[in-house]
Amino acid sequence: MANKVIINTDVKKGKINKNIYGHFAEHLGRCIYEGIWVGEESPIPNTKGIRNDVLEALKKINIPVLRWPGGCFADEYHWKDGIGPREDRKRMVNTHWGGVVENNHFGTHEFMLLCELLGTQPYICGNVGSGTVQEMSEWVEYMTFEGESPMANWRRENGKDEPWKLTYFGVGNENWGCGGNMRPEYYADLYRRYQTYVRNYGDNKIYKIAGGANVDDYNWTEVLMENSGHLMDGLSLHYYTIPGDFWTGKGSALNFPEDEWFITMKKAIHMDELISKHGNIMDKYDPDKRVGMIIDEWGTWFDVEPGTNPGFLYQQNTIRDAIVAALHFNIFHQHCDRVQMTNIAQTVNVLQAMILTEGEEMILTPTYHVFDMYKVHQDAELLSVDTQIGTYEYNGETLPQVSVTASKDGNGNIHVSFCNIDHVNGNSFELDLRGLSNAAKVSGTIIKADVMNAHNSFEAPETVKPVAFEDVEVNGSVLSVSIPPMSVVTLAITED
Ligand code: AHR
């Protein structure tokens, strides 16, 4: 049977919320400090302490929403330590991540400035594990209260007259684990209590996100939805792609055998099952899909690079990561009726990062390039896609070889993205764009590699980068496409 992809260009299946392309930056390792914040006195060129090179690179990928300050760090973060003159700020130990001293130089004002400079919406995660209701409530008052109030006045004293706009607020993080080791029943009640005091001041309307399940803990979702679903706007889910075992060896980011390539792809695709199953439970309590599924931590998690601090979660990033990112986006698009936001972990120097830095140097990872290639799908309408495209076989196991997604933007432009997860074989297929009245005009970009661990380094920063995609022949509204192994492609299609 010939390989074939049919795209029904008139059959729209829902809007792809741009927030699916969200990010996560935690006080962990060198993500915030060094990666984003260098301080105003730094020789590294910066805007009020935020490094310019990283800022410019991140602007280019249109980050719609940024989650902060954690992660596990969120449930031991006390926001009042991070405001006022920097030299007076309290120093604390970051017990989760390397036991290093946190000087609190990057706090609420600095984060809000970062969001402003990036043109991104803030998503702040509050402290339930070790914080009080009053503390959480006052943080929201500090950030969003317009009139005269103790917290608003204090914000003004610290140099910010007008309140910030704050849309997304998380009530705790991983409260089944680092956020307090709670039972779902207990957290469901705490969620009800804490969220009561996350107030909407003036015209600021907060989208409240409850701490969700770890991987396949379906009971957590069930208990949360049953007891607190009516009080939340979003419920989170965390799932990382880890080829090995979390505790005994996750696998190397760079030096991995073939079977780890395959298993990484298989585990990435598992996200689809998790969304379906958690989604089915959410449907039971929320058939209208009012509550968004917020996958606010996802991505690859490998062993740290040899010689680096084990608590800093610094890993390199290869073409394998690029394909994992593309697979996730294709899956998230498919579930865009329920998945309203996702946040890759993490933006700089931690886990599946966009950017790696060393002193004043910065490199873009293959994952960054996929975010860049896929940004055309933000807020576009998902199109119906049928694929008959063959399988990727390894050691008697099979996976679908090519994953495809397509969308139409507000100007009627169609974008089709696909990735070939096979590390050996290419694929050729016919792409039938049903519903076009005229011949297609096509341009494309590809990111590919010849070896499984192709990556960018400080010595060779452009080994993996997007180039023009030429292997496409246009015949009216039908395209003949050939893609190499280990590749991600985005086509832009208009009508002649
Ligand atoms: O992203 C790293 C950590 O992974 C986060 O802090 C935590 O929420 C998760 O376990």
Side-chain angles (χ1 to χ4, degrees):
M1 187 171 52
N3 290 333
K4 195 164 182 156
V5 174
I6 300 167
I7 296 177
N8 293 293
T9 62
D10 290 329
V11 182
K12 296 179 180 162
K13 305 199 63 172
K15 186 170 170 183
I16 299 168
N17 194 321
K18 66 175 187 221
N19 289 340
I20 282 177
Y21 289 83
H23 284 249
F24 169 36
E26 181 168 10
H27 288 234
L28 193 179
R30 298 186 300 116
C31 182
I32 296 291
Y33 298 107
E34 285 186 44
I36 291 172
W37 176 260
V38 288
E40 292 176 89
E41 310 305 323
S42 170
I44 297 174
N46 66 81
T47 303
K48 297 185 177 161
I50 297 170
R51 58 188 293 170
N52 291 342
D53 51 355
V54 169
L55 210 48
E56 287 315 308
L58 292 180
K59 267 193 212 163
K60 185 161 177 263
I61 55 173
N62 293 350
I63 295 183
V65 61
L66 180 60
R67 179 175 184 246
W68 173 85
C72 292
F73 183 77
D75 281 285
E76 64 177 356
Y77 181 62
H78 301 283
W79 68 272
K80 290 179 186 171
D81 298 345
I83 57 167
R86 287 192 201 106
E87 58 285 3
D88 297 341
R89 294 187 193 174
K90 185 165 157 186
R91 290 156 71 84
M92 66 179 277
V93 178
N94 189 335
T95 54
H96 279 295
W97 304 120
V100 293
V101 171
E102 159 69 54
N103 64 14
N104 275 306
H105 281 194
F106 191 90
T108 306
H109 289 252
E110 290 78 11
F111 173 66
M112 289 302 202
L113 172 69
L114 171 65
C115 291
E116 205 177 299
L117 295 171
L118 287 176
T120 194
Q121 301 177 89
Y123 166 16
I124 288 192
C125 185
N127 181 346
V128 172
S130 70
T132 63
V133 176
Q134 181 181 359
E135 185 182 2
M136 185 178 285
S137 159
E138 287 183 340
W139 199 4
V140 173
E141 180 189 325
Y142 185 91
M143 290 185 280
T144 63
F145 195 81
E146 197 171 2
E148 161 129 11
S149 84
M151 292 301 120
N153 291 351
W154 196 14
R155 182 190 71 231
R156 286 188 196 100
E157 276 167 36
N158 288 325
K160 180 77 172 95
D161 279 344
E162 295 302 315
W164 289 286
K165 277 269 164 257
L166 175 66
T167 315
Y168 301 102
F169 195 85
V171 181
N173 168 73
E174 295 196 350
N175 302 91
W176 41 263
C178 63
N181 283 307
M182 301 174 197
R183 293 174 307 116
E185 292 78 8
Y186 181 65
Y187 173 71
D189 279 348
L190 275 193
Y191 173 79
R192 293 167 68 122
R193 178 171 168 227
Y194 275 69
Q195 69 79 36
T196 305
Y197 305 93
V198 174
R199 306 277 191 206
N200 289 324
Y201 293 116
D203 61 358
N204 192 71
K205 172 90 183 71
I206 293 184
Y207 183 103
K208 297 176 194 171
I209 300 170
N214 185 30
V215 192
D216 57 357
D217 183 354
Y218 300 114
N219 181 50
W220 185 278
T221 298
E222 183 89 44
V223 173
L224 262 287
M225 286 302 296
E226 183 175 9
N227 295 290
S228 325
H230 60 297
L231 294 172
M232 62 178 79
D233 299 301
L235 177 61
S236 86
L237 168 66
H238 288 181
Y239 172 62
Y240 285 94
T241 298
I242 304 169
D245 177 80
F246 187 84
W247 300 109
T248 56
K250 301 177 191 71
S252 163
L254 275 187
N255 301 309
F256 55 90
E258 271 185 342
D259 62 326
E260 281 182 26
W261 174 282
F262 184 85
I263 194 144
T264 303
M265 297 303 145
K266 187 173 156 183
K267 291 205 170 175
I269 291 171
H270 185 54
M271 179 61 96
D272 188 41
E273 180 182 326
L274 293 172
I275 296 174
S276 297
K277 290 188 173 167
H278 284 286
N280 287 343
I281 297 167
M282 293 175 80
D283 286 349
K284 195 166 123 193
Y285 298 97
D286 175 35
D288 297 336
K289 301 188 196 291
R290 184 190 62 79
V291 179
M293 189 185 291
I294 308 295
I295 305 173
D296 49 17
E297 289 188 30
W298 67 270
T300 55
W301 193 329
F302 303 120
D303 295 331
V304 298
E305 291 308 319
T308 64
N309 187 326
F312 280 14
L313 311 187
Y314 176 76
Q315 63 189 42
Q316 249 292 0
N317 194 293
T318 67
I319 186 73
R320 179 173 59 158
D321 295 80
I323 292 173
V324 167
L327 275 174
H328 276 80
F329 289 141
N330 295 0
I331 293 168
F332 296 152
H333 289 183
Q334 207 50 41
H335 293 279
C336 67
D337 56 344
R338 180 64 85 179
V339 177
Q340 296 302 330
M341 186 200 296
T342 88
N343 309 77
I344 191 168
Q346 297 193 7
T347 311
V348 191
N349 288 331
V350 170
L351 298 177
Q352 190 175 348
M354 309 303 109
I355 291 176
L356 303 178
T357 65
E358 239 176 53
E360 61 181 18
E361 286 185 78
M362 172 198 94
I363 55 172
L364 305 177
T365 66
T367 299
Y368 173 94
H369 294 306
V370 172
F371 271 76
D372 198 23
M373 288 165 65
Y374 268 67
K375 68 187 178 193
V376 289
H377 296 294
Q378 292 187 16
D379 274 347
E381 293 284 342
L382 181 70
L383 296 177
S384 146
V385 178
D386 289 319
T387 52
Q388 300 154 13
I389 209 163
T391 51
Y392 168 33
E393 294 182 19
Y394 186 78
N395 262 351
E397 280 196 84
T398 57
L399 295 171
Q401 189 191 354
V402 180
S403 161
V404 187
T405 193
S407 70
K408 194 184 261 188
D409 70 16
N411 299 319
N413 303 315
I414 294 167
H415 294 100
V416 185
S417 295
F418 36 90
C419 60
N420 179 4
I421 69 173
D422 194 319
H423 70 292
V424 177
N425 299 301
N427 193 305
S428 297
F429 57 92
E430 190 182 281
L431 182 63
D432 187 355
L433 295 155
R434 298 225 173 130
L436 289 196
S437 340
N438 301 302
K441 248 173 71 186
V442 182
S443 61
T445 310
I446 184 168
I447 183 166
K448 60 180 176 170
D450 296 331
V451 289
M452 290 188 301
N453 69 351
H455 62 281
N456 296 331
S457 65
F458 291 91
E459 296 71 42
E462 300 211 334
T463 306
V464 187
K465 64 170 187 184
V467 292
F469 179 64
E470 312 283 2
D471 286 331
V472 51
E473 263 176 45
V474 183
N475 203 338
S477 60
V478 178
L479 318 180
S480 300
V481 180
S482 289
I483 48 169
M486 303 187 285
S487 61
V488 181
V489 174
T490 292
L491 300 180
I493 298 161
T494 51
E495 288 192 58
D496 225 355

